[in-house]
């Protein structure tokens, strides 16, 4: 591990808005703030929205600035990346932002029933070869149900045609209420309505847009009732691996 990363990890240990509980630290341990985020950290009764796989926390911080009446929690396992957003939130005294460093596979250990109102999935790894690691799979939907309110909203923002197509089929197959869907977010109804959500762009998102890659967006509700099953369909793989940033150079991959 580089000296810079070690320094960031050490500094993050002092951050009042960061909670670090990777999988190894959770063996036989319960998270005492589960179900009590509002009372013990935010000290208000405002809604809670999660960003899963928050990276540098740009979206979490951006949303928190737009909506000060809502509490936002960014979740990721990569602490060196999370450092950027966590430090910015502290420097700007944003009281409605927290960060949780943990494995998303155990996300349901950190939140109580009905504690969260919405989930954002921003540019998640599409995990084309392993459905159980895909953050929009029914494997994860079952976990989200344990803490998301009934018919809570899930947002997917992605440049991956594979992940967008898979999630669309999963929503349709399980009859989940679809609220909004577009294959080109910045030339959509939201764009015409000048939604403030479009003003938040991560570093990579801006770079991909400059290279001609469409940004896709899906918004749906997750009811508590009903059995969730996987759609049994073949989906064309992306022409590039979504998590290899350096390979995002072909304009033809935007369609």
């Amino acid at each position: 591990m580089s000296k810079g990363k070690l320094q960031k990890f050490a500094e993050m240990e002092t951050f009042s808005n960061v909670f670090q509980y990777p999988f190894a630290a959770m063996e036989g341990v319960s998270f005492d703030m589960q179900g009590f985020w509002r009372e013990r950290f935010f000290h208000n009764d405002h809604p809670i929205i999660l960003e899963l796989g928050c990276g540098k926390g740009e979206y979490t911080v951006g949303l928190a600035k737009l909506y000060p009446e809502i509490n936002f929690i960014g979740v990721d396992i990569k602490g060196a990346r999370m450092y950027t957003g966590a430090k910015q939130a502290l420097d700007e005294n944003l009281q409605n932002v927290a960060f949780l460093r943990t494995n998303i596979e155990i996300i349901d250990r950190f939140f109580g029933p009905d504690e969260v109102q919405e989930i954002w999935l921003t540019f998640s790894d599409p995990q084309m070869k392993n459905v159980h690691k895909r953050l929009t799979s029914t494997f994860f939907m079952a976990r989200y149900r344990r803490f998301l309110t009934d018919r809570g909203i899930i947002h997917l923002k992605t440049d991956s045609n594979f992940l967008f197509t898979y999630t669309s089929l999963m929503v349709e197959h399980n009859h989940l209420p679809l609220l909004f869907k577009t294959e080109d977010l910045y030339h959509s109804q939201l764009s015409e309505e000048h939604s403030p959500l479009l003003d938040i762009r991560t570093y990579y998102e801006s770079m991909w847009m400059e290279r001609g890659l469409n940004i896709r967006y899906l918004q749906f509700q997750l009811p508590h009732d009903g059995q969730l099953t996987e759609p049994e369909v073949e989906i064309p793989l992306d022409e590039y691996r979504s998590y290899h940033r350096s390979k995002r150079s072909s304009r033809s991959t935007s369609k």
Side-chain angles (χ1 to χ4, degrees):
M1 187 178 294
S2 68
K3 183 177 180 180
K5 284 188 176 181
L6 288 173
Q7 183 176 350
K8 287 180 179 179
F9 276 120
E11 192 173 347
M12 278 179 59
E13 289 289 345
T14 69
F15 287 2
S16 60
N17 62 350
V18 174
F19 301 85
Q20 303 194 68
Y21 288 88
F23 183 81
M26 289 300 291
E27 284 193 37
V29 176
S30 61
F31 184 64
D32 61 5
M33 211 157 60
Q34 182 182 24
F36 299 98
W37 280 88
R38 290 181 182 87
E39 294 89 338
R40 298 181 183 177
F41 180 79
F42 293 112
H43 306 294
N44 61 48
D45 59 357
H46 299 166
I48 292 177
I49 295 179
L50 307 184
E51 183 191 4
L52 302 183
C54 68
K56 293 183 179 181
E58 299 153 291
Y59 218 78
T60 299
V61 171
L63 287 170
K65 289 171 141 184
L66 273 179
Y67 304 103
E69 73 284 1
I70 298 176
N71 301 317
F72 293 90
I73 303 173
V75 183
D76 207 306
I77 191 60
K78 301 290 186 179
R81 294 179 187 172
M82 183 183 292
Y83 170 91
T84 302
K87 189 172 190 308
Q88 180 183 353
L90 286 178
D91 290 345
E92 298 184 16
N93 196 30
L94 298 176
Q95 300 296 313
N96 61 328
V97 182
F99 287 90
L100 173 63
R101 189 173 79 85
T102 193
N103 304 78
I104 297 177
E105 290 83 354
I106 59 171
I107 189 65
D108 51 311
R109 299 190 189 183
F110 297 91
F111 301 94
D114 299 322
E115 189 168 20
V116 175
Q117 280 63 50
E118 298 183 26
I119 293 173
W120 276 85
L121 304 170
T122 50
F123 302 100
S124 308
D125 187 329
Q127 295 289 349
M128 292 183 284
K129 294 184 179 180
N130 191 339
V131 67
H132 292 299
K133 290 187 176 181
R134 209 170 295 155
L135 295 187
T136 57
S137 69
T138 57
F139 175 84
F140 278 99
M141 293 297 146
R143 278 155 178 74
Y144 303 156
R145 276 179 164 179
R146 295 171 187 169
F147 57 81
L148 195 63
T149 55
D150 188 25
R151 302 177 76 87
I153 296 175
I154 295 181
H155 307 259
L156 172 68
K157 193 177 184 185
T158 182
D159 63 305
S160 167
N161 183 62
F162 176 90
L163 185 60
F164 181 80
T165 302
Y166 163 79
T167 308
S168 298
L169 292 170
M170 187 280 297
V171 167
E172 180 181 359
H173 179 71
N174 289 287
H175 307 290
L176 304 180
L178 178 64
L179 302 180
F180 190 83
K181 176 181 176 180
T182 177
E183 295 191 16
D184 190 355
L185 178 60
Y186 292 96
H187 297 88
S188 68
Q189 180 183 345
L190 284 181
S191 179
E192 294 171 0
E193 295 172 351
H194 303 288
S195 170
L197 293 175
L198 301 185
D199 294 333
I200 309 173
R201 298 183 188 180
T202 66
Y203 167 78
Y204 284 120
E205 180 178 1
S206 297
M207 182 177 67
W208 301 332
M209 290 177 65
E210 289 175 2
R211 296 181 181 181
L213 292 170
N214 289 352
I215 305 301
R216 297 164 169 85
Y217 174 68
L218 190 68
Q219 181 186 129
F220 60 96
Q221 292 178 319
L222 182 61
H224 284 177
D225 61 334
Q227 182 178 358
L228 298 172
T229 58
E230 285 292 321
E232 296 184 6
V233 292
E234 291 291 330
I235 303 172
L237 302 181
D238 290 336
E239 294 179 16
Y240 57 90
R241 299 180 70 184
S242 184
Y243 42 92
H244 281 184
R245 313 304 189 195
S246 62
K247 294 187 178 180
R248 298 177 182 273
S249 58
S250 173
R251 183 175 293 270
S252 65
T253 61
S254 67
K255 304 299 181 184

